[in-house]
Amino acid sequence: MKTYAIIPAAGSGARFKNDIPKPLVLLKGKEIFVYSLEVFEKSSFIDGMVVIAPADRCQEFENVIKKYSFKKPIKVVAGGNSRYESVSNGLKVLDPNIDFVLVHDGARPLVSLKVVEEAINMAYATKAVVVGVPVKPTIKRIDPRAKEIDTTLDRNILWEAQTPQVFAYELLMQAHRQGVGLDVEATDDAFLVERFGAKVKMIEGEYRNIKITTPEDLKIAEALLE
Ligand code: C5P
């Protein structure tokens, strides 16, 4: 099965408050997005990677990748204004003969090889897989204007979606094509596949696979790496 990984890393990083784009920030001396490339380099299930970089930073990303002498083919592609556009740009450069696509946020450096391979194996059987974790807090739905609680959701059936998310190539392509002009923000790829009407399997990942969004998250990631 030919499987490629797309790593969207073209976000503006507004919540990170740093002049350097978040994926290029050093975490224990290594650029944040390089951690996931190293995991994908190790997996015999993955044939190559596509990194989605901010349009004006592609050369910098290329230079960083060169430093690490990866053996697998890695392409750097310019991202768009939304995560949806960024992943779509990555899908466009893939060889149409591949079988599966794994999408993994460049801002999640702590993903493990075990979780990546479990997700891919499950996708071989079900065509669409999301890695997630059961939520720990109590979640309330609120009326955003009144800031009043509308309802308390049943925690037993709530999971937080993470990445990796793995899909059969043709299914993800169709779901993305149908997502053109969508009026709601697709904050992950599973959302597009769900809207397309396909079943998406959720498998349990790891709480440590955090998304680095704010400066505090970087400190947490440092602690988790120790
Ligand atoms: O914004 P959010 O935290 O959901 O972003 C998740 C991932 O998608 C990040 O790794 C970010 O760099 C990426 N992204 C992107 N292009 C955008 C927005 C987000 O590649 N326009």
Tab-separated table of all heavy atoms in Angstrom, residues 143-148:
chain	number	residue	atom	x	y	z
A	143	ASP	N	-24.609	29.483	25.115
A	143	ASP	CA	-25.175	30.474	24.213
A	143	ASP	C	-24.101	31.572	24.132
A	143	ASP	O	-23.831	32.253	25.127
A	143	ASP	CB	-26.476	31.008	24.830
A	143	ASP	CG	-27.024	32.194	24.053
A	143	ASP	OD1	-26.263	32.838	23.300
A	143	ASP	OD2	-28.222	32.493	24.227
A	144	PRO	N	-23.430	31.735	22.963
A	144	PRO	CA	-22.261	32.623	22.918
A	144	PRO	C	-22.594	34.075	23.212
A	144	PRO	O	-21.738	34.816	23.694
A	144	PRO	CB	-21.734	32.457	21.488
A	144	PRO	CG	-22.793	31.776	20.718
A	144	PRO	CD	-23.713	31.099	21.671
A	145	ARG	N	-23.805	34.496	22.951
A	145	ARG	CA	-24.153	35.912	23.214
A	145	ARG	C	-24.406	36.138	24.695
A	145	ARG	O	-23.815	37.008	25.309
A	145	ARG	CB	-25.391	36.304	22.411
A	145	ARG	CG	-24.992	36.740	21.032
A	145	ARG	CD	-26.043	37.614	20.371
A	145	ARG	NE	-26.007	37.335	18.954
A	145	ARG	CZ	-27.030	36.925	18.243
A	145	ARG	NH1	-28.212	36.772	18.790
A	145	ARG	NH2	-26.879	36.670	16.969
A	146	ALA	N	-25.267	35.328	25.265
A	146	ALA	CA	-25.631	35.517	26.674
A	146	ALA	C	-24.552	34.985	27.616
A	146	ALA	O	-24.551	35.286	28.802
A	146	ALA	CB	-26.956	34.833	26.955
A	147	LYS	N	-23.610	34.171	27.058
A	147	LYS	CA	-22.597	33.495	27.884
A	147	LYS	C	-23.285	32.719	29.005
A	147	LYS	O	-22.886	32.784	30.177
A	147	LYS	CB	-21.584	34.497	28.475
A	147	LYS	CG	-20.620	35.062	27.457
A	147	LYS	CD	-19.303	34.292	27.463
A	147	LYS	CE	-18.448	34.531	26.244
A	147	LYS	NZ	-18.113	35.909	25.957
A	148	GLU	N	-24.356	32.055	28.632
A	148	GLU	CA	-25.069	31.209	29.596
A	148	GLU	C	-24.998	29.775	29.116
A	148	GLU	O	-24.938	29.517	27.917
A	148	GLU	CB	-26.540	31.630	29.668
A	148	GLU	CG	-26.750	32.814	30.573
A	148	GLU	CD	-28.150	33.385	30.437
A	148	GLU	OE1	-28.974	32.809	29.698
A	148	GLU	OE2	-28.398	34.419	31.066
